[in-house]
Each structure stands twice: as structure tokens, then as C-alpha cells.
Amino acid sequence: MTGLTPERGTETSGPEVLFARRGHLGIITLNRPKAVNALTAGMVAAMLEQLTAWADDDGVATVLVHGAGERGLCAGGDIVAIYRDLLTGGTQTADFWATEYRLNSVIARYPKPYVAFMDGLVLGGGVGISAHGSYRVVTERTRTGMPETTIGFVPDVGGTFLLARSPGEAGTHAALTGAHLTGADALFLGLADHHVPGDSLPELAAALESESAEAAVVRFARPSPPSTLAGQRAWIDEAYASDDAEDIVRRLRDVAGAVAAEASEAADTIEAKSPTAVKVALASLRRARDLTLDAALAQEYRVGLRFLAAPDFREGIRAQVVDKDRTPLWKPATLHEVRPADVDRFFEPLGDRELTLQPKETDHV
């Protein structure tokens, strides 16, 4: 969306993701615009390899990631590919997540400024390749979030780590409802740092070729519009203070006054999601409060593999992405039917399948 195109002869990977050098700037272009740059296994592997090489390259002082096309940085992982893998009982999704989470970890501890243009749609996996960076730029066009409960899954790519550290219970609200958020909301949640007008992104990218990331981003940054989510914090903090999903829904329905309709709508939204995903997402967030990023990613991998074997993930993708009938049949069908023991099983150790992230360094907290 920035108008950037890699210079001829500078690409070092296939067409799904492109790499270029301009001045002292390394540029990553996600290049699947028709799919809103949804991430594939090949893309995350190529990004991991290139970032590793650039980390030791004295000619690269700053890295920029942006998306091709006019729709956004990245709409998440390639859900259709995951669905096909689920139908055949394959292992490709587990392998994809392992590489993707390693990429998220590398971005978080990258030794050079990592600038992400979070313009347009930035969902799920798109958050993972941007919100762990050191300079996270949103625009007036940003629409971001972690909508995984809609497809019978839970926030991953370090999303539980990030949202568990958002102000008050705003991150819990975002995770359970799967709401699409504005750039201002992303700033409030701690998913981004700077607001830059969308039309200024090409100029900012050009400045990054020769200026420091700090100087360039600060020079182009402008005040953000107010965050709707920040304005809802009073009732959100009160309603989501519980560690029990059913209690949260009851609290939302008990909210009175001028904001009662907003709270009731949130309750309706949560009850339409996968009950298993809602309860596991809530437990994941609560557990992530005391974890490093790498530990949270390992927990998300553990939970994710369990969802591959559970019915709701496949059913959610079918209803939302494949058949698009928007009428998933969740099993169990209600929050009440999901027992604490059912939730606990998602967090049980994987034995020799546990995700190990190397090298072991202190994560950004």
C-alpha cells in the first residue's frame, strides 16, 4: 500500500514475498495482494532466513515490512491451506506455526530497528509480523485485531502475550469478541506506537533509506484520532475482570446506563463464537500475564496443536471461509457445556513435540 516496489534484480525470493535493499534499508514486501498478503509457509520461512542474514549485514541498518496492493499489510495466515491440511490429517500446519512463531520471536528481539507499516487490514498473523517490531506504524486506514474465536481458534503469534499486557481488560475484550480495531485502538492496546497519515508512507519509506528509524518515524508521526476502545474502558474493565467466561457474559448483560447496548452487543458477540475457543482464549490470556514472549509462543503452539484435533477449528473455517454460510455448529454448543477439565487439556505438555525457540534470550516484556 506504500507504493514501494523492489528494484529489478534485487529480489532474493519467490513472488509471494520480495526483498530489496535501498540505501541502508532492507525492505520486505508481502506480495499476495489478492489474498490480502495472507502468510504461507514459504513466506514465513523466507522472512526468517532473510532477517537472519540482514541481522549480520553491516549494510542494513533498518528493516521495513509492508504489504503489496491497496487492502492491507496482512490478513493473517493462509486459512484455506490450513483447512486442506486439517481435512487430510497432515502436519503442514504444525510445521508452519513452528516457523511462524520462531519468526515472531526473532522480530521481537531483532538487533536492528524493525519498522512495520500496519496500513489497511492487519489481522492474526499480520499482527505477529508487525506488533512485535520496534517501530509499529498505523494509519487512518488501519483495521486490525485477533479474530480467531470466530473460526473456533484462539489468538496466537504472541497475541496472548500482547493483549494480556493491554490497559485494564481491553485486551480481553478484543480477544474474546475478535473485534476489528482502528489504528487508534491499536495504539491504546499497545499493538502500535505511531500514527502516520497513509499518504505519507511512501515519503517515510524513502526517509528510512538514509535516516535513522527513530528520526524518520517521529518526523512523520501525527496525533492519532481518539480511540473508541479507550472510551469504553470503564465498563470493559468491570465486566471482564472475571476469570470465568460465563460470568463475563453475565456482567456484560448487567451493564446499565448509556453504554448498556454496547455491553450487550459484546455479550451477544461472545456467545456467537466457539464456546471452547472463548474459554481457552480467556485462560490463555490469564496464563500469559506471567510469561515471557517465547514462553507464551510455546503455550500458543501447545494450544494450537490441540485445536487441530478438536472439531471447532475445522468447523469455524468451513463456515466462515469455505462454505461461507456463517452458521457454524460448535461442539459443545454453549459456554456452560465447556468444563474446566476440557479447557485444561489444551495446555497439557506436548512431550517431544514442544516448541523450542532458539537462541534463548530475554524477551521484550
PDB file of all heavy atoms in Angstrom, residues 288-320:
ATOM      1  N   ALA A 288      -0.808 -16.016  30.196  1.00  0.00           N
ATOM      2  CA  ALA A 288       0.244 -15.270  29.504  1.00  0.00           C
ATOM      3  C   ALA A 288       0.716 -14.049  30.280  1.00  0.00           C
ATOM      4  O   ALA A 288       1.773 -13.496  29.977  1.00  0.00           O
ATOM      5  CB  ALA A 288      -0.237 -14.845  28.121  1.00  0.00           C
ATOM      6  N   ARG A 289      -0.044 -13.612  31.269  1.00  0.00           N
ATOM      7  CA  ARG A 289       0.350 -12.436  32.054  1.00  0.00           C
ATOM      8  C   ARG A 289       1.726 -12.602  32.683  1.00  0.00           C
ATOM      9  O   ARG A 289       2.466 -11.638  32.832  1.00  0.00           O
ATOM     10  CB  ARG A 289      -0.681 -12.192  33.165  1.00  0.00           C
ATOM     11  CG  ARG A 289      -1.992 -11.595  32.718  1.00  0.00           C
ATOM     12  CD  ARG A 289      -2.986 -11.591  33.871  1.00  0.00           C
ATOM     13  NE  ARG A 289      -4.208 -10.849  33.554  1.00  0.00           N
ATOM     14  CZ  ARG A 289      -5.290 -10.845  34.311  1.00  0.00           C
ATOM     15  NH1 ARG A 289      -5.304 -11.559  35.450  1.00  0.00           N
ATOM     16  NH2 ARG A 289      -6.354 -10.146  33.970  1.00  0.00           N
ATOM     17  N   ASP A 290       2.057 -13.812  33.065  1.00  0.00           N
ATOM     18  CA  ASP A 290       3.306 -14.066  33.791  1.00  0.00           C
ATOM     19  C   ASP A 290       4.361 -14.741  32.924  1.00  0.00           C
ATOM     20  O   ASP A 290       5.357 -15.242  33.444  1.00  0.00           O
ATOM     21  CB  ASP A 290       3.020 -14.930  35.027  1.00  0.00           C
ATOM     22  CG  ASP A 290       2.049 -14.271  35.990  1.00  0.00           C
ATOM     23  OD1 ASP A 290       2.173 -13.050  36.198  1.00  0.00           O
ATOM     24  OD2 ASP A 290       1.163 -14.970  36.512  1.00  0.00           O
ATOM     25  N   LEU A 291       4.147 -14.763  31.605  1.00  0.00           N
ATOM     26  CA  LEU A 291       5.073 -15.451  30.717  1.00  0.00           C
ATOM     27  C   LEU A 291       5.905 -14.457  29.910  1.00  0.00           C
ATOM     28  O   LEU A 291       5.479 -13.339  29.646  1.00  0.00           O
ATOM     29  CB  LEU A 291       4.300 -16.347  29.737  1.00  0.00           C
ATOM     30  CG  LEU A 291       3.441 -17.461  30.329  1.00  0.00           C
ATOM     31  CD1 LEU A 291       2.720 -18.208  29.213  1.00  0.00           C
ATOM     32  CD2 LEU A 291       4.281 -18.422  31.164  1.00  0.00           C
ATOM     33  N   THR A 292       7.114 -14.868  29.518  1.00  0.00           N
ATOM     34  CA  THR A 292       7.871 -14.133  28.506  1.00  0.00           C
ATOM     35  C   THR A 292       7.209 -14.368  27.152  1.00  0.00           C
ATOM     36  O   THR A 292       6.350 -15.257  27.012  1.00  0.00           O
ATOM     37  CB  THR A 292       9.319 -14.614  28.442  1.00  0.00           C
ATOM     38  OG1 THR A 292       9.326 -15.992  28.015  1.00  0.00           O
ATOM     39  CG2 THR A 292      10.016 -14.485  29.790  1.00  0.00           C
ATOM     40  N   LEU A 293       7.613 -13.623  26.157  1.00  0.00           N
ATOM     41  CA  LEU A 293       7.047 -13.838  24.826  1.00  0.00           C
ATOM     42  C   LEU A 293       7.315 -15.258  24.345  1.00  0.00           C
ATOM     43  O   LEU A 293       6.408 -15.933  23.843  1.00  0.00           O
ATOM     44  CB  LEU A 293       7.613 -12.831  23.824  1.00  0.00           C
ATOM     45  CG  LEU A 293       7.219 -13.084  22.363  1.00  0.00           C
ATOM     46  CD1 LEU A 293       5.705 -13.047  22.173  1.00  0.00           C
ATOM     47  CD2 LEU A 293       7.898 -12.078  21.445  1.00  0.00           C
ATOM     48  N   ASP A 294       8.542 -15.740  24.469  1.00  0.00           N
ATOM     49  CA  ASP A 294       8.858 -17.080  23.984  1.00  0.00           C
ATOM     50  C   ASP A 294       8.033 -18.140  24.705  1.00  0.00           C
ATOM     51  O   ASP A 294       7.578 -19.120  24.084  1.00  0.00           O
ATOM     52  CB  ASP A 294      10.351 -17.371  24.137  1.00  0.00           C
ATOM     53  CG  ASP A 294      11.163 -16.798  22.976  1.00  0.00           C
ATOM     54  OD1 ASP A 294      10.583 -16.068  22.147  1.00  0.00           O
ATOM     55  OD2 ASP A 294      12.377 -17.077  22.908  1.00  0.00           O
ATOM     56  N   ALA A 295       7.839 -17.956  25.994  1.00  0.00           N
ATOM     57  CA  ALA A 295       7.026 -18.915  26.746  1.00  0.00           C
ATOM     58  C   ALA A 295       5.569 -18.849  26.305  1.00  0.00           C
ATOM     59  O   ALA A 295       4.883 -19.879  26.221  1.00  0.00           O
ATOM     60  CB  ALA A 295       7.143 -18.652  28.238  1.00  0.00           C
ATOM     61  N   ALA A 296       5.081 -17.646  26.002  1.00  0.00           N
ATOM     62  CA  ALA A 296       3.712 -17.501  25.509  1.00  0.00           C
ATOM     63  C   ALA A 296       3.558 -18.144  24.133  1.00  0.00           C
ATOM     64  O   ALA A 296       2.541 -18.794  23.851  1.00  0.00           O
ATOM     65  CB  ALA A 296       3.328 -16.024  25.453  1.00  0.00           C
ATOM     66  N   LEU A 297       4.558 -17.978  23.275  1.00  0.00           N
ATOM     67  CA  LEU A 297       4.514 -18.618  21.954  1.00  0.00           C
ATOM     68  C   LEU A 297       4.507 -20.143  22.090  1.00  0.00           C
ATOM     69  O   LEU A 297       3.790 -20.841  21.360  1.00  0.00           O
ATOM     70  CB  LEU A 297       5.704 -18.169  21.116  1.00  0.00           C
ATOM     71  CG  LEU A 297       5.642 -16.737  20.574  1.00  0.00           C
ATOM     72  CD1 LEU A 297       7.017 -16.296  20.085  1.00  0.00           C
ATOM     73  CD2 LEU A 297       4.615 -16.619  19.458  1.00  0.00           C
ATOM     74  N   ALA A 298       5.296 -20.662  23.009  1.00  0.00           N
ATOM     75  CA  ALA A 298       5.316 -22.108  23.241  1.00  0.00           C
ATOM     76  C   ALA A 298       3.953 -22.581  23.742  1.00  0.00           C
ATOM     77  O   ALA A 298       3.476 -23.656  23.353  1.00  0.00           O
ATOM     78  CB  ALA A 298       6.415 -22.472  24.229  1.00  0.00           C
ATOM     79  N   GLN A 299       3.330 -21.784  24.607  1.00  0.00           N
ATOM     80  CA  GLN A 299       1.993 -22.125  25.094  1.00  0.00           C
ATOM     81  C   GLN A 299       0.982 -22.084  23.953  1.00  0.00           C
ATOM     82  O   GLN A 299       0.125 -22.975  23.831  1.00  0.00           O
ATOM     83  CB  GLN A 299       1.568 -21.153  26.196  1.00  0.00           C
ATOM     84  CG  GLN A 299       0.129 -21.350  26.657  1.00  0.00           C
ATOM     85  CD  GLN A 299      -0.249 -20.435  27.791  1.00  0.00           C
ATOM     86  OE1 GLN A 299       0.038 -20.736  28.954  1.00  0.00           O
ATOM     87  NE2 GLN A 299      -0.881 -19.305  27.496  1.00  0.00           N
ATOM     88  N   GLU A 300       1.064 -21.067  23.100  1.00  0.00           N
ATOM     89  CA  GLU A 300       0.147 -20.961  21.965  1.00  0.00           C
ATOM     90  C   GLU A 300       0.321 -22.138  20.997  1.00  0.00           C
ATOM     91  O   GLU A 300      -0.667 -22.634  20.430  1.00  0.00           O
ATOM     92  CB  GLU A 300       0.377 -19.638  21.235  1.00  0.00           C
ATOM     93  CG  GLU A 300      -0.063 -18.423  22.032  1.00  0.00           C
ATOM     94  CD  GLU A 300       0.401 -17.107  21.423  1.00  0.00           C
ATOM     95  OE1 GLU A 300       1.148 -17.143  20.429  1.00  0.00           O
ATOM     96  OE2 GLU A 300       0.004 -16.046  21.941  1.00  0.00           O
ATOM     97  N   TYR A 301       1.536 -22.591  20.832  1.00  0.00           N
ATOM     98  CA  TYR A 301       1.789 -23.749  19.968  1.00  0.00           C
ATOM     99  C   TYR A 301       1.139 -24.997  20.570  1.00  0.00           C
ATOM    100  O   TYR A 301       0.496 -25.777  19.857  1.00  0.00           O
ATOM    101  CB  TYR A 301       3.291 -23.947  19.815  1.00  0.00           C
ATOM    102  CG  TYR A 301       3.684 -25.039  18.838  1.00  0.00           C
ATOM    103  CD1 TYR A 301       3.569 -24.825  17.470  1.00  0.00           C
ATOM    104  CD2 TYR A 301       4.175 -26.262  19.283  1.00  0.00           C
ATOM    105  CE1 TYR A 301       3.934 -25.815  16.557  1.00  0.00           C
ATOM    106  CE2 TYR A 301       4.536 -27.249  18.380  1.00  0.00           C
ATOM    107  CZ  TYR A 301       4.417 -27.021  17.024  1.00  0.00           C
ATOM    108  OH  TYR A 301       4.772 -28.003  16.128  1.00  0.00           O
ATOM    109  N   ARG A 302       1.291 -25.154  21.863  1.00  0.00           N
ATOM    110  CA  ARG A 302       0.688 -26.290  22.569  1.00  0.00           C
ATOM    111  C   ARG A 302      -0.831 -26.276  22.382  1.00  0.00           C
ATOM    112  O   ARG A 302      -1.454 -27.288  22.020  1.00  0.00           O
ATOM    113  CB  ARG A 302       1.056 -26.179  24.050  1.00  0.00           C
ATOM    114  CG  ARG A 302       0.831 -27.415  24.899  1.00  0.00           C
ATOM    115  CD  ARG A 302       1.343 -27.142  26.311  1.00  0.00           C
ATOM    116  NE  ARG A 302       2.761 -26.784  26.302  1.00  0.00           N
ATOM    117  CZ  ARG A 302       3.277 -25.718  26.917  1.00  0.00           C
ATOM    118  NH1 ARG A 302       2.491 -24.900  27.601  1.00  0.00           N
ATOM    119  NH2 ARG A 302       4.568 -25.489  26.859  1.00  0.00           N
ATOM    120  N   VAL A 303      -1.432 -25.116  22.624  1.00  0.00           N
ATOM    121  CA  VAL A 303      -2.878 -24.965  22.489  1.00  0.00           C
ATOM    122  C   VAL A 303      -3.303 -25.166  21.032  1.00  0.00           C
ATOM    123  O   VAL A 303      -4.307 -25.828  20.744  1.00  0.00           O
ATOM    124  CB  VAL A 303      -3.307 -23.575  23.001  1.00  0.00           C
ATOM    125  CG1 VAL A 303      -4.744 -23.256  22.583  1.00  0.00           C
ATOM    126  CG2 VAL A 303      -3.159 -23.494  24.521  1.00  0.00           C
ATOM    127  N   GLY A 304      -2.521 -24.605  20.100  1.00  0.00           N
ATOM    128  CA  GLY A 304      -2.868 -24.710  18.692  1.00  0.00           C
ATOM    129  C   GLY A 304      -2.916 -26.139  18.190  1.00  0.00           C
ATOM    130  O   GLY A 304      -3.835 -26.520  17.449  1.00  0.00           O
ATOM    131  N   LEU A 305      -1.953 -26.949  18.594  1.00  0.00           N
ATOM    132  CA  LEU A 305      -1.959 -28.347  18.157  1.00  0.00           C
ATOM    133  C   LEU A 305      -3.181 -29.080  18.696  1.00  0.00           C
ATOM    134  O   LEU A 305      -3.722 -29.969  18.023  1.00  0.00           O
ATOM    135  CB  LEU A 305      -0.676 -29.049  18.609  1.00  0.00           C
ATOM    136  CG  LEU A 305       0.627 -28.597  17.961  1.00  0.00           C
ATOM    137  CD1 LEU A 305       1.705 -29.669  18.137  1.00  0.00           C
ATOM    138  CD2 LEU A 305       0.477 -28.269  16.488  1.00  0.00           C
ATOM    139  N   ARG A 306      -3.616 -28.700  19.895  1.00  0.00           N
ATOM    140  CA  ARG A 306      -4.826 -29.333  20.447  1.00  0.00           C
ATOM    141  C   ARG A 306      -6.064 -28.911  19.641  1.00  0.00           C
ATOM    142  O   ARG A 306      -7.003 -29.699  19.468  1.00  0.00           O
ATOM    143  CB  ARG A 306      -4.970 -28.958  21.915  1.00  0.00           C
ATOM    144  CG  ARG A 306      -3.813 -29.494  22.793  1.00  0.00           C
ATOM    145  CD  ARG A 306      -4.044 -30.928  23.228  1.00  0.00           C
ATOM    146  NE  ARG A 306      -2.855 -31.681  23.573  1.00  0.00           N
ATOM    147  CZ  ARG A 306      -1.895 -31.348  24.439  1.00  0.00           C
ATOM    148  NH1 ARG A 306      -1.919 -30.194  25.063  1.00  0.00           N
ATOM    149  NH2 ARG A 306      -0.905 -32.171  24.693  1.00  0.00           N
ATOM    150  N   PHE A 307      -6.088 -27.676  19.170  1.00  0.00           N
ATOM    151  CA  PHE A 307      -7.218 -27.230  18.352  1.00  0.00           C
ATOM    152  C   PHE A 307      -7.254 -27.937  17.004  1.00  0.00           C
ATOM    153  O   PHE A 307      -8.329 -28.110  16.412  1.00  0.00           O
ATOM    154  CB  PHE A 307      -7.185 -25.716  18.152  1.00  0.00           C
ATOM    155  CG  PHE A 307      -7.975 -24.962  19.187  1.00  0.00           C
ATOM    156  CD1 PHE A 307      -7.337 -24.327  20.235  1.00  0.00           C
ATOM    157  CD2 PHE A 307      -9.359 -24.913  19.126  1.00  0.00           C
ATOM    158  CE1 PHE A 307      -8.054 -23.644  21.199  1.00  0.00           C
ATOM    159  CE2 PHE A 307     -10.098 -24.231  20.077  1.00  0.00           C
ATOM    160  CZ  PHE A 307      -9.444 -23.594  21.120  1.00  0.00           C
ATOM    161  N   LEU A 308      -6.103 -28.353  16.494  1.00  0.00           N
ATOM    162  CA  LEU A 308      -6.087 -29.101  15.234  1.00  0.00           C
ATOM    163  C   LEU A 308      -6.847 -30.422  15.373  1.00  0.00           C
ATOM    164  O   LEU A 308      -7.423 -30.920  14.390  1.00  0.00           O
ATOM    165  CB  LEU A 308      -4.647 -29.382  14.802  1.00  0.00           C
ATOM    166  CG  LEU A 308      -3.811 -28.187  14.356  1.00  0.00           C
ATOM    167  CD1 LEU A 308      -2.403 -28.646  14.000  1.00  0.00           C
ATOM    168  CD2 LEU A 308      -4.455 -27.479  13.176  1.00  0.00           C
ATOM    169  N   ALA A 309      -6.850 -30.961  16.577  1.00  0.00           N
ATOM    170  CA  ALA A 309      -7.522 -32.242  16.822  1.00  0.00           C
ATOM    171  C   ALA A 309      -8.958 -32.067  17.311  1.00  0.00           C
ATOM    172  O   ALA A 309      -9.694 -33.040  17.417  1.00  0.00           O
ATOM    173  CB  ALA A 309      -6.724 -33.056  17.843  1.00  0.00           C
ATOM    174  N   ALA A 310      -9.349 -30.818  17.621  1.00  0.00           N
ATOM    175  CA  ALA A 310     -10.698 -30.535  18.115  1.00  0.00           C
ATOM    176  C   ALA A 310     -11.610 -30.156  16.949  1.00  0.00           C
ATOM    177  O   ALA A 310     -11.137 -29.724  15.894  1.00  0.00           O
ATOM    178  CB  ALA A 310     -10.645 -29.403  19.147  1.00  0.00           C
ATOM    179  N   PRO A 311     -12.932 -30.292  17.103  1.00  0.00           N
ATOM    180  CA  PRO A 311     -13.834 -30.084  15.960  1.00  0.00           C
ATOM    181  C   PRO A 311     -14.069 -28.630  15.564  1.00  0.00           C
ATOM    182  O   PRO A 311     -14.335 -28.339  14.399  1.00  0.00           O
ATOM    183  CB  PRO A 311     -15.142 -30.727  16.420  1.00  0.00           C
ATOM    184  CG  PRO A 311     -15.099 -30.650  17.921  1.00  0.00           C
ATOM    185  CD  PRO A 311     -13.647 -30.814  18.287  1.00  0.00           C
ATOM    186  N   ASP A 312     -13.980 -27.691  16.512  1.00  0.00           N
ATOM    187  CA  ASP A 312     -14.447 -26.336  16.225  1.00  0.00           C
ATOM    188  C   ASP A 312     -13.573 -25.564  15.246  1.00  0.00           C
ATOM    189  O   ASP A 312     -14.076 -24.714  14.499  1.00  0.00           O
ATOM    190  CB  ASP A 312     -14.584 -25.535  17.525  1.00  0.00           C
ATOM    191  CG  ASP A 312     -15.878 -25.840  18.252  1.00  0.00           C
ATOM    192  OD1 ASP A 312     -16.606 -26.747  17.806  1.00  0.00           O
ATOM    193  OD2 ASP A 312     -16.163 -25.172  19.276  1.00  0.00           O
ATOM    194  N   PHE A 313     -12.284 -25.811  15.221  1.00  0.00           N
ATOM    195  CA  PHE A 313     -11.403 -25.075  14.317  1.00  0.00           C
ATOM    196  C   PHE A 313     -11.762 -25.374  12.860  1.00  0.00           C
ATOM    197  O   PHE A 313     -11.946 -24.471  12.044  1.00  0.00           O
ATOM    198  CB  PHE A 313      -9.945 -25.438  14.615  1.00  0.00           C
ATOM    199  CG  PHE A 313      -8.925 -24.565  13.937  1.00  0.00           C
ATOM    200  CD1 PHE A 313      -9.220 -23.274  13.535  1.00  0.00           C
ATOM    201  CD2 PHE A 313      -7.638 -25.044  13.709  1.00  0.00           C
ATOM    202  CE1 PHE A 313      -8.268 -22.474  12.910  1.00  0.00           C
ATOM    203  CE2 PHE A 313      -6.673 -24.251  13.100  1.00  0.00           C
ATOM    204  CZ  PHE A 313      -6.997 -22.971  12.692  1.00  0.00           C
ATOM    205  N   ARG A 314     -11.902 -26.649  12.561  1.00  0.00           N
ATOM    206  CA  ARG A 314     -12.272 -27.033  11.196  1.00  0.00           C
ATOM    207  C   ARG A 314     -13.664 -26.509  10.845  1.00  0.00           C
ATOM    208  O   ARG A 314     -13.883 -25.996   9.743  1.00  0.00           O
ATOM    209  CB  ARG A 314     -12.223 -28.555  11.047  1.00  0.00           C
ATOM    210  CG  ARG A 314     -12.710 -29.028   9.693  1.00  0.00           C
ATOM    211  CD  ARG A 314     -12.371 -30.468   9.380  1.00  0.00           C
ATOM    212  NE  ARG A 314     -12.254 -31.343  10.535  1.00  0.00           N
ATOM    213  CZ  ARG A 314     -11.908 -32.625  10.475  1.00  0.00           C
ATOM    214  NH1 ARG A 314     -11.613 -33.156   9.305  1.00  0.00           N
ATOM    215  NH2 ARG A 314     -11.847 -33.359  11.547  1.00  0.00           N
ATOM    216  N   GLU A 315     -14.595 -26.609  11.780  1.00  0.00           N
ATOM    217  CA  GLU A 315     -15.957 -26.155  11.532  1.00  0.00           C
ATOM    218  C   GLU A 315     -16.020 -24.643  11.345  1.00  0.00           C
ATOM    219  O   GLU A 315     -16.761 -24.133  10.496  1.00  0.00           O
ATOM    220  CB  GLU A 315     -16.870 -26.585  12.683  1.00  0.00           C
ATOM    221  CG  GLU A 315     -18.289 -26.031  12.640  1.00  0.00           C
ATOM    222  CD  GLU A 315     -19.106 -26.492  11.432  1.00  0.00           C
ATOM    223  OE1 GLU A 315     -18.626 -27.343  10.657  1.00  0.00           O
ATOM    224  OE2 GLU A 315     -20.228 -25.988  11.257  1.00  0.00           O
ATOM    225  N   GLY A 316     -15.223 -23.917  12.119  1.00  0.00           N
ATOM    226  CA  GLY A 316     -15.212 -22.465  12.004  1.00  0.00           C
ATOM    227  C   GLY A 316     -14.678 -21.997  10.662  1.00  0.00           C
ATOM    228  O   GLY A 316     -15.227 -21.071  10.049  1.00  0.00           O
ATOM    229  N   ILE A 317     -13.605 -22.626  10.187  1.00  0.00           N
ATOM    230  CA  ILE A 317     -13.062 -22.270   8.873  1.00  0.00           C
ATOM    231  C   ILE A 317     -14.073 -22.614   7.780  1.00  0.00           C
ATOM    232  O   ILE A 317     -14.291 -21.834   6.848  1.00  0.00           O
ATOM    233  CB  ILE A 317     -11.725 -22.986   8.615  1.00  0.00           C
ATOM    234  CG1 ILE A 317     -10.673 -22.571   9.653  1.00  0.00           C
ATOM    235  CG2 ILE A 317     -11.225 -22.675   7.204  1.00  0.00           C
ATOM    236  CD1 ILE A 317      -9.367 -23.333   9.533  1.00  0.00           C
ATOM    237  N   ARG A 318     -14.701 -23.780   7.918  1.00  0.00           N
ATOM    238  CA  ARG A 318     -15.712 -24.169   6.922  1.00  0.00           C
ATOM    239  C   ARG A 318     -16.808 -23.112   6.814  1.00  0.00           C
ATOM    240  O   ARG A 318     -17.164 -22.663   5.713  1.00  0.00           O
ATOM    241  CB  ARG A 318     -16.337 -25.508   7.304  1.00  0.00           C
ATOM    242  CG  ARG A 318     -17.393 -26.000   6.297  1.00  0.00           C
ATOM    243  CD  ARG A 318     -18.420 -26.925   6.936  1.00  0.00           C
ATOM    244  NE  ARG A 318     -19.214 -26.265   7.965  1.00  0.00           N
ATOM    245  CZ  ARG A 318     -20.212 -25.419   7.719  1.00  0.00           C
ATOM    246  NH1 ARG A 318     -20.520 -25.083   6.460  1.00  0.00           N
ATOM    247  NH2 ARG A 318     -20.902 -24.869   8.703  1.00  0.00           N
ATOM    248  N   ALA A 319     -17.343 -22.707   7.976  1.00  0.00           N
ATOM    249  CA  ALA A 319     -18.490 -21.801   7.982  1.00  0.00           C
ATOM    250  C   ALA A 319     -18.135 -20.390   7.536  1.00  0.00           C
ATOM    251  O   ALA A 319     -18.934 -19.721   6.865  1.00  0.00           O
ATOM    252  CB  ALA A 319     -19.111 -21.765   9.381  1.00  0.00           C
ATOM    253  N   GLN A 320     -16.936 -19.925   7.886  1.00  0.00           N
ATOM    254  CA  GLN A 320     -16.574 -18.536   7.602  1.00  0.00           C
ATOM    255  C   GLN A 320     -15.839 -18.350   6.272  1.00  0.00           C
ATOM    256  O   GLN A 320     -15.986 -17.307   5.632  1.00  0.00           O
ATOM    257  CB  GLN A 320     -15.692 -17.996   8.741  1.00  0.00           C
ATOM    258  CG  GLN A 320     -16.395 -17.906  10.081  1.00  0.00           C
ATOM    259  CD  GLN A 320     -17.545 -16.912  10.087  1.00  0.00           C
ATOM    260  OE1 GLN A 320     -17.506 -15.904   9.391  1.00  0.00           O
ATOM    261  NE2 GLN A 320     -18.569 -17.193  10.864  1.00  0.00           N
TER     262      GLN A 320
END
